[in-house]
Amino acid sequence: MDLFIQQLINGLSLGALYALIAVGYTVVYGIVQLINFAHGEVFMMGAFGAYTTWMLMGSPTKVSVGFALGIMLPAMILGGVLVSVVTALLMERFAYRPLRNAPRLAPLISAIGLSIALQEAVRLFYGRIPGFPDSRRAIPFPVIEGLTGRSLQLGGVTIQFSAIFTLGALFVCATVLWWFVNKTRMGRAMQATSQDADTARLMGINVDRAIATAFAVGAALAAVAGVAHGLRYNNIDFQMGFMAGMKAFTAAVLGGIGNINGAVVGGLVLGVVEAMATTYIPGQFGSSAWKDVWAFAILILVLVFRPQGLLGAKVVDRA
């Protein structure tokens, strides 16, 4: 029983990471019907932004728990969010907005090109900074005193503090996003734009601003996921966005792309399935090398048997 609970917690924390990224996919798709395949790189930029913020703070290593949790970690999250949001806004303005009325294949190709360009830009940019670790390899993520390597022991179950941070971040971000989308003027403008952009424009809504806000909101959550990824795996690299982005896209489709609640549910389900598969599927098919296979097998099954996703019917929740 302890093993089951352990894997359930591991799966939920992994799923929370996917969900934070998946919300960005689903918010953007819900408002402009665009699969932003460069969103994984926005997540990567957030992780590098957090790391760069830590370097600008003087790369502090031996600090008190209060300084690490009260100043260093919030500053790193803020730095990551700033980098991701600026990246997403530039993407929307110069790569997607000119193609808004083009055939759907055009922005899709643009997104794939952006994904590769951002990876190479990070590799080349950070590779030229004196003192920065080799950006072609995994870079050790800063140690956060009181969080990194710490765990909570409950009977036979071990809960890493990084897992608690990820689950807590998902809860806070999902709550704030729900309030923003449903209770603010801009949130209602985003909902109106997602339903009918032309009518929303005639009603006086600044559609361009609403779409840009959707990109910014998704990027902010992806940046938080980037920090959570660094705390969970203790390293980052310039290619980390590709697979994480694909998993998050799978989670968004699983939950019903365009549905914010569905993205959260899809991410958690996907994380739990991966964790359980590596434990309870016997033989080599249950090894960690096969976890990606199971994730994409779920994507295929969903597309075949329920293409609208688990919560796809709740289109009224689209942002």
Side-chain angles (χ1 to χ4, degrees):
M1 191 61 183
D2 286 346
L3 179 61
F4 176 82
I5 296 174
Q6 181 71 67
Q7 288 304 90
L8 180 62
I9 293 172
N10 292 342
L12 288 174
S13 64
L14 179 62
L17 188 63
Y18 293 153
L20 283 168
I21 310 172
V23 169
Y25 275 106
T26 213
V27 168
V28 170
Y29 181 85
I31 200 166
V32 290
Q33 304 292 296
L34 167 69
I35 303 295
N36 180 16
F37 278 118
H39 187 61
E41 275 58 52
V42 174
F43 153 75
M44 177 269 292
M45 293 291 287
F48 272 83
Y51 187 90
T52 304
T53 303
W54 175 73
M55 291 192 70
L56 292 175
M57 295 175 69
S59 306
T61 53
K62 296 181 179 179
V63 297
S64 65
V65 174
F67 179 83
L69 297 179
I71 296 178
M72 195 166 85
L73 182 59
M76 290 171 61
I77 294 174
L78 186 61
V81 168
L82 181 63
V83 171
S84 288
V85 169
V86 170
T87 301
L89 291 177
L90 290 174
M91 288 165 51
E92 189 278 329
R93 178 63 185 85
F94 296 106
Y96 295 140
R97 190 180 300 184
L99 301 175
R100 195 173 293 167
N101 297 317
R104 289 191 177 186
L105 187 59
L108 184 63
I109 293 172
S110 182
I112 295 172
L114 266 176
S115 173
I116 298 171
L118 284 172
Q119 287 185 32
E120 291 304 307
V122 168
R123 183 179 66 83
L124 293 173
F125 176 76
Y126 284 103
R128 295 176 183 274
I129 297 178
F132 198 88
D134 189 344
S135 57
R136 293 168 298 181
R137 301 175 181 173
I139 299 171
F141 199 71
V143 172
I144 306 296
E145 292 294 336
L147 186 59
T148 303
R150 299 284 297 274
S151 61
L152 185 65
Q153 194 72 32
L154 295 176
V157 178
T158 302
I159 305 174
Q160 297 293 329
F161 279 16
S162 60
I164 297 174
F165 171 82
T166 307
L167 287 165
L170 175 63
F171 176 77
V172 172
C173 289
T175 302
V176 172
L177 181 60
W178 179 89
W179 172 82
F180 179 79
V181 170
N182 294 285
K183 301 296 181 181
T184 67
R185 188 180 183 87
M186 180 53 70
R188 288 191 288 271
M190 289 167 58
Q191 292 188 59
T193 303
S194 71
Q195 293 172 13
D196 192 324
D198 292 332
T199 303
R201 187 178 287 108
L202 291 173
M203 296 297 291
I205 292 174
N206 189 328
V207 171
D208 289 338
R209 185 179 298 172
I211 294 173
T213 302
F215 273 85
V217 168
L221 268 64
V224 176
V227 176
H229 179 282
L231 293 173
R232 178 184 178 88
Y233 296 104
N234 299 319
N235 62 63
I236 58 174
D237 69 88
F238 75 100
Q239 293 180 315
M240 61 187 276
F242 176 75
M243 186 54 70
M246 293 302 292
K247 294 287 188 65
F249 173 66
T250 302
V253 173
L254 176 61
I257 193 161
N259 186 307
I260 294 174
N261 296 333
V264 174
V265 172
L268 295 176
V269 170
L270 185 64
V272 171
V273 167
E274 278 195 24
M276 293 299 178
T278 56
T279 302
Y280 293 104
I281 295 180
Q284 63 173 335
F285 300 118
S287 66
S288 59
W290 276 76
K291 66 178 183 178
D292 296 338
V293 175
W294 298 121
F296 293 118
I298 290 175
L299 174 62
I300 294 171
L301 291 173
V302 169
L303 290 174
V304 170
F305 295 105
R306 190 175 170 81
Q308 74 273 30
L310 297 175
L311 303 183
K314 297 180 68 175
V315 292
V316 292
D317 287 346
R318 294 188 309 173

